């Protein structure tokens, strides 16, 4: 069978209309939090193991693009603004990205592009924005391609292409183009799963997870000391890497089953274990490093005590950073918010946390 990479290469539009094409497209796309983590990759942006995430609702990136496509062939011409200001670091990363996907979108060699992007979450919240940023941009690019083809189709093909393009910008971004629970990577638990694109699991989720809450406890708002890219790289020499990839493959099968069954006890057990195993990979990299802070551990301990004292099925997970993602059923929100305000807030920087929930996916603006 042809890989998607081959398929998208062979289907790429190579003809530009004589009169060119200009217009604008805008998308809002959410961040996501992984339950089973992607940690370790191979060329090109392919994961060493499958991962499963929940798409968020409130934490999102809005990307507005104005484009002009002409017959003139050259490097993409880009004017990028983040929150109204030019940003050289982002501009350079996006130009590199646009050049890297040219074989799938040859029209990027004929384009002048003005991109305005902004996040719904504060800049200094320590939330990784690459998933929302690259998924929003990929959706805009797939939409421009729609315009070049003269179609207005936003079916499964459209999101499949957007997920593929988003992955090439940032792996976890592949998952942000779908609502609810999302799988990225090949697993024998799901036919048609792929390392090249994500697959939405929303229709097979138990109702309890569709309205699940996620509070992001901002323990440390600063940029992390080791980037995700460097962390992925260090997995190449991690002595436990192969066991970890096998474990994540097993955890993927388990979480898909749990998300279907609505078993909240199994959910918290597995999701917390996954978060700890992700950080164990950081501890056992060479050089070893740790991204959690003392307050992170205090929060984790309190969450576990709260669960055992109240029987409320809360769970924590961690990204590659010090902040804690606190997951719980919507029906327990009153007790849990009281607990956050009285027992967890003190560990957050300036008492800050962000209240989010499982989301409905990206939106065309
Ligand atoms: C710990 O998607 O940020 O959040 O592909 O290099 O952009 P790149 O990495 P990225 O890695 C995310 C790592 C993680 C786990 C996850 O989201 O699955």
């Amino acid at each position: 069978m042809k890989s998607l990479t081959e398929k998208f290469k062979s289907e790429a539009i190579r003809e530009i209309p004589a009169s060119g094409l200009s217009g604008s497209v805008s998308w809002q796309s959410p961040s996501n939090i992984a339950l089973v983590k992607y940690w370790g990759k191979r060329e090109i942006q392919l994961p060493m193991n499958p991962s499963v995430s929940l798409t968020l609702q409130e934490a999102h990136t809005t990307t507005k693009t104005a484009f002009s496509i002409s017959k003139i062939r050259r490097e993409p011409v880009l004017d990028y603004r983040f929150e109204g200001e030019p940003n050289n670091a982002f501009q350079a990363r996006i130009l590199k990205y646009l050049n890297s996907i040219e074989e799938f979108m040859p029209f990027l060699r004929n384009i002048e592009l003005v991109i305005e992007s902004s996040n719904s979450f504060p800049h200094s919240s320590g939330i990784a924005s690459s998933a929302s940023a690259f998924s929003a941009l990929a959706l805009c690019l797939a939409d421009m391609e729609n315009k070049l083809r003269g179609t207005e189709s936003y079916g499964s093909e459209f999101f499949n292409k957007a997920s593929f393009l988003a992955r090439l910008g940032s792996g976890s971004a592949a998952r942000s183009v779908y609502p609810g629970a999302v799988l990225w990577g090949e697993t024998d638990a799901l036919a048609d799963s792929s390392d090249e694109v994500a697959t939405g699991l929303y229709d097979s989720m138990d109702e309890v997870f569709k309205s699940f809450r996620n509070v992001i406890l901002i323990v440390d708002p600063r940029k992390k000391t080791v980037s995700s890219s460097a962390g992925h790289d260090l997995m190449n020499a991690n002595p436990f890497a192969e066991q970890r990839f096998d474990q994540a493959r097993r955890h993927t099968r388990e979480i898909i089953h749990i998300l279907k069954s609505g078993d909240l006890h199994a959910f918290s057990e597995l999701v917390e274990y996954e978060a700890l195993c992700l950080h164990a990979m950081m501890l056992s990299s060479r050089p070893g490093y740790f991204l959690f802070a003392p307050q992170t551990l205090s929060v984790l301990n309190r969450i576990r005590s709260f669960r055992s004292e109240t029987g409320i099925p809360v769970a924590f997970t961690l990204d590659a950073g010090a902040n804690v993602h606190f997951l719980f059923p919507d029906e327990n929100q009153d007790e849990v918010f009281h607990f956050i305000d009285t027992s967890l807030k003190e560990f957050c920087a300036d008492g800050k946390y962000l209240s989010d929930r499982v989301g409905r996916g990206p939106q065309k603006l």
Side-chain angles (χ1 to χ4, degrees), residues 34 37-39 41 45 130 170-172 175 228-229 232 319-320:
K37 313 289 182 180
Y38 147 57
W39 201 240
K41 62 176 159 182
Q45 288 284 100
S130 66
S170 175
S172 55
R175 301 183 306 236
S228 285
S229 313
H232 287 293
D319 249 344

Side-chain angles (χ1 to χ4, degrees), residues 133-152:
F134 276 103
S135 57
L137 179 57
L139 286 156
C140 288
L141 293 171
D143 211 350
M144 281 174 215
E145 191 177 65
N146 254 355
K147 296 227 178 318
L148 264 181
R149 285 191 202 278
T151 63
E152 279 281 331

Side-chain angles (χ1 to χ4, degrees), residues 265 268 272 299-316 326 339:
H265 172 74
S268 56
E272 292 188 356
V299 169
L300 304 191
N301 275 323
R302 291 224 173 154
I303 289 176
R304 286 195 162 174
S305 304
F306 176 77
R307 183 171 59 235
S308 63
E309 283 158 18
T310 62
I312 297 175
V314 296
F316 65 74
F326 190 21
F339 165 63

